[in-house]
Amino acid sequence: VSALLTIGEFSRVTHLSVKALRHSDDVGLLQPADVDRSSGYRRYASAQAPIAHVIRRFRDLDMPLEQIRVVLDAPDVEARNQAIIAHLERMQQSLERTQSTVASLRALLEGTETTLSVEHRSVAAMPAIAIAEQVDWDDTEVWLGAALAELHGVLASHPDWRAAADAALYSTEFFAAHSGPVVAFVPITRQSAVAGRVQIIEVPAAELALTMHEGPFEDLDETYGALGTFVAERVLGAAGPIREHYLVTEADTDDPAQWRTEVCWPIRQPFIDGGGERDP
Amino acid sequence: VSALLTIGEFSRVTHLSVKALRHSDDVGLLQPADVDRSSGYRRYASAQAPIAHVIRRFRDLDMPLEQIRVVLDAPDVEARNQAIIAHLERMQQSLERTQSTVASLRALLEGTETTLSVEHRSVAAMPAIAIAEQVDWDDTEVWLGAALAELHGVLASHPDWRAAADAALYSTEFFAAHSGPVVAFVPITRQSAVAGRVQIIEVPAAELALTMHEGPFEDLDETYGALGTFVAERVLGAAGPIREHYLVTEADTDDPAQWRTEVCWPIRQPFIDGGGERDP
DNA sequence: TTGCTCCTCACGTCACGTGAGGTGGC
DNA sequence: TTGCTCCTCACGTCACGTGAGGTGGC
């Protein structure tokens, strides 16, 4: 015999606020067992309390209501557990990011001064196999990993067709709007059969100011800051995408401190190679 | 020689989006070195990049812009480090809550059936020293700890004046709106001198349905669910605040599984003591 | 019968994202 | 000169919280 409770009683039984309960009703996540036709009064069955307790815990974990609905509507225990595990994994990743951000922040505030060495490089146009897409900022690392893996698949049977390291072009729009065109590419020595997302492009010639980034991608902003400042102070800036060359990556070592990425800024004209001071 | 950059260039140098930079300008967190009178064009100094990098890391840690401003405006390194450490501690606590929420969620989904044993208790009015205030839901644990500590201070020199365990009254409004009157109190055997927030009250008489909650406060909703359902199914509900008696607390043991809290639901009339089935 | 509970709008929060519509600079 | 960049509104997002103004139930 499941009793009917007013919204106020149900809030005491579930520890959800009346406003939160009404909102869950509005979006269809947790609807009262009965609603009075004339007064609009909501009546909850006491048997609904366990569902509300589960909702409360997921909300404490910042799971969006929409996704809680997916979990609760899961057709079987397997699907439900899948959805829960997926959320817990995302939380775990966000936790790891948090920890490395804290480390990165500490380093930044301690302010070790580093010498920046910038090289000029004049690159000719080159053929490449490539995947070009609109990419959102927060998806970039995952997208790039998948795109490069797909390109590696094309070269799997002809490793000698590779002409240079993995690389990518990032449009100015991508930085300005945190969403925009990105091109992942691998330079090649000869034509190869391609299909699906993969296409053959010619990466345009460019004059580039280039420096080496040492460490995780998360800290790339500091290298961009140093290189961009170097270019701006010499009034060398030119239009065009920024290039990154992935020389040492996760595929080579698990220690992000060992990773090496060349960052290439488009410039108008050559300059005498040299060093500058990096800001603290 | 600090160069001036357009907002687009500055977004590449800082890895902050143009929209985010304009927002930081609007709220006064990071204002461009110069703004063109006629066109409104923002110009950032390259020397502002390191500040933007710090802002980006704090935002990655979900620090509110207002608090980032406090950190950046800190008059000295001491004050700045204080603010940073305070934020990291809050993050640490939120992390611990997350982990216990995950454990609690697992237990809930595994659904161990428990027998609920409910006792009837008729309590007479009793004098108590008390602190009564409007309390927000998320502040409750901290507020209660501080309030009870203050009450303990009053009894410090006369421990024999205590008549029963620490307790609190929670108004229905507190549950409905997640903010409302809460009374922390300690029953006493004789009058004592009080000052400040502490007052002497008479806790009213009541008929109560009572059960023991075993474990951390976070899981109180399940005990509330079982007890509230028990009361509702027997149509015993009465108006009035809910009482909690803190029998075994953090002061006694560090293991939250050992904590014991009596939860007391106001009812209209006595009933025969007995047990009910707790929902899975 | 009184006052407490419940109802539905309408608007605010926070840190931006998403257009619309228009101008400026190389 | 063209098109890319920049500008300012105005509105949307998400999960509610905060009133306002009014009705229902014990």
Side-chain angles (χ1 to χ4, degrees):
Chain A
V1 283
S2 184
L4 287 180
L5 311 179
T6 67
I7 197 169
E9 291 168 330
F10 199 62
S11 85
R12 290 193 280 283
V13 152
T14 60
H15 286 194
L16 294 168
S17 76
V18 165
K19 290 286 185 182
L21 287 171
R22 283 205 269 256
H23 184 67
S24 286
D25 181 5
D26 290 345
V27 301
L29 177 61
L30 177 62
Q31 272 157 340
D34 178 62
V35 177
D36 186 284
R37 283 273 154 201
S38 68
S39 69
Y41 275 36
R42 294 168 178 83
R43 297 286 172 170
Y44 292 86
S46 55
Q48 294 182 287
I51 304 168
H53 292 147
V54 172
I55 291 175
R56 192 174 91 90
R57 277 165 184 69
F58 280 125
R59 285 300 301 136
D60 280 350
L61 297 175
D62 288 323
M63 187 185 277
L65 294 188
E66 189 49 44
Q67 217 203 314
I68 297 177
R69 194 213 313 267
V70 171
V71 171
L72 295 181
D73 289 357
D76 54 75
V77 179
E78 275 309 298
R80 196 188 65 177
N81 285 343
Q82 276 303 105
I84 293 171
I85 289 168
H87 182 72
L88 293 182
E89 270 171 12
R90 276 193 297 277
M91 285 192 52
Q92 180 62 30
Q93 284 167 6
S94 118
L95 170 61
E96 283 163 17
R97 271 200 306 278
T98 292
Q99 286 169 342
S100 67
T101 300
V102 169
S104 160
L105 180 62
R106 272 191 215 287
L108 190 56
L109 289 171
E110 274 162 25
T112 41
E113 199 122 345
T114 326
T115 304
L116 177 74
S117 102
V118 181
E119 173 196 337
H120 168 257
R121 192 178 297 174
S122 200
V123 296
M126 60 183 121
I129 51 173
I131 292 174
E133 268 174 0
Q134 179 90 8
V135 179
D136 287 345
W137 186 270
D138 292 333
D139 303 337
T140 309
E141 265 198 67
V142 170
W143 179 86
L144 182 66
L148 290 175
E150 202 170 331
L151 295 174
H152 295 169
V154 172
L155 291 184
S157 43
H158 309 283
D160 53 313
W161 289 2
R162 170 192 289 273
D166 293 343
L169 298 174
Y170 296 94
S171 62
T172 57
E173 186 192 343
F174 172 77
F175 292 101
H178 276 195
S179 177
V182 177
V183 182
F185 68 93
V186 181
I188 52 174
T189 56
R190 64 165 82 184
Q191 297 292 84
S192 134
V194 296
R197 294 201 296 172
V198 181
Q199 43 176 313
I200 293 182
I201 63 166
E202 182 161 85
V203 180
E207 300 296 315
L208 300 170
L210 182 151
T211 196
M212 186 69 79
H213 171 71
E214 312 187 339
F217 294 154
E218 194 184 26
D219 291 340
L220 270 169
D221 59 343
E222 291 184 68
T223 298
Y224 272 64
L227 181 59
T229 296
F230 178 96
V231 168
E233 285 171 356
R234 285 159 186 76
V235 202
L236 289 167
I242 288 176
R243 300 181 189 208
E244 293 181 0
H245 301 151
Y246 305 103
L247 305 186
V248 181
T249 70
E250 197 172 13
D252 303 300
T253 167
D254 279 345
D255 177 13
Q258 303 294 325
W259 297 354
R260 294 294 179 270
T261 306
E262 282 178 346
V263 178
C264 313
W265 210 276
I267 55 177
R268 297 187 291 126
Q269 54 181 258
F271 64 92
I272 311 298
D273 289 5
E277 288 308 307
R278 171 176 286 188
D279 285 307
Chain B
V1 283
S2 185
L4 287 182
L5 312 178
T6 67
I7 196 168
E9 291 168 331
F10 198 61
S11 85
R12 291 193 280 283
V13 152
T14 60
H15 286 194
L16 293 168
S17 76
V18 165
K19 291 286 186 181
L21 286 171
R22 284 206 269 254
H23 184 67
S24 286
D25 181 6
D26 290 345
V27 300
L29 177 61
L30 177 62
Q31 272 158 340
D34 179 63
V35 177
D36 186 284
R37 282 277 155 201
S38 68
S39 69
Y41 275 36
R42 294 170 179 83
R43 296 286 173 171
Y44 292 85
S46 54
Q48 294 183 286
I51 304 169
H53 292 147
V54 172
I55 291 175
R56 191 173 91 90
R57 278 165 183 69
F58 279 126
R59 286 300 301 136
D60 280 351
L61 298 176
D62 288 324
M63 187 184 277
L65 294 188
E66 189 49 45
Q67 216 203 315
I68 298 177
R69 193 213 313 265
V70 171
V71 171
L72 294 181
D73 288 357
D76 53 76
V77 178
E78 275 308 298
R80 196 188 65 176
N81 285 343
Q82 276 303 105
I84 294 171
I85 288 168
H87 183 72
L88 293 182
E89 269 171 14
R90 275 192 298 278
M91 286 192 51
Q92 181 63 28
Q93 284 167 8
S94 119
L95 171 60
E96 283 163 18
R97 270 200 307 278
T98 293
Q99 285 170 342
S100 67
T101 300
V102 169
S104 160
L105 180 62
R106 273 191 213 286
L108 190 57
L109 289 171
E110 275 163 24
T112 41
E113 198 120 344
T114 325
T115 304
L116 176 75
S117 103
V118 182
E119 174 196 336
H120 168 258
R121 193 178 295 175
S122 198
V123 296
M126 60 182 123
I129 51 174
I131 293 175
E133 268 173 1
Q134 178 90 9
V135 179
D136 287 344
W137 185 270
D138 292 334
D139 303 336
T140 310
E141 265 197 67
V142 169
W143 178 87
L144 183 66
L148 290 175
E150 201 170 331
L151 295 175
H152 295 168
V154 172
L155 291 183
S157 44
H158 308 284
D160 52 315
W161 290 2
R162 170 193 287 272
D166 293 343
L169 298 174
Y170 296 93
S171 64
T172 57
E173 186 192 343
F174 173 76
F175 292 101
H178 275 194
S179 177
V182 177
V183 183
F185 69 93
V186 180
I188 52 173
T189 57
R190 64 165 83 185
Q191 297 293 82
S192 134
V194 297
R197 293 200 297 171
V198 181
Q199 41 175 315
I200 292 182
I201 62 166
E202 182 162 84
V203 181
E207 300 296 315
L208 300 170
L210 182 152
T211 196
M212 185 70 79
H213 171 71
E214 311 187 340
F217 295 155
E218 192 183 29
D219 291 341
L220 270 169
D221 60 343
E222 291 185 68
T223 299
Y224 272 64
L227 182 59
T229 296
F230 178 95
V231 168
E233 286 171 356
R234 286 160 185 75
V235 202
L236 289 166
I242 288 177
R243 299 181 190 209
E244 293 182 359
H245 301 151
Y246 305 104
L247 305 187
V248 180
T249 69
E250 197 171 13
D252 303 301
T253 167
D254 279 346
D255 177 13
Q258 304 293 325
W259 297 354
R260 294 293 178 271
T261 307
E262 281 179 345
V263 178
C264 312
W265 210 276
I267 55 177
R268 297 188 291 125
Q269 52 180 258
F271 63 93
I272 313 298
D273 288 6
E277 288 307 306
R278 173 175 287 188
D279 286 306

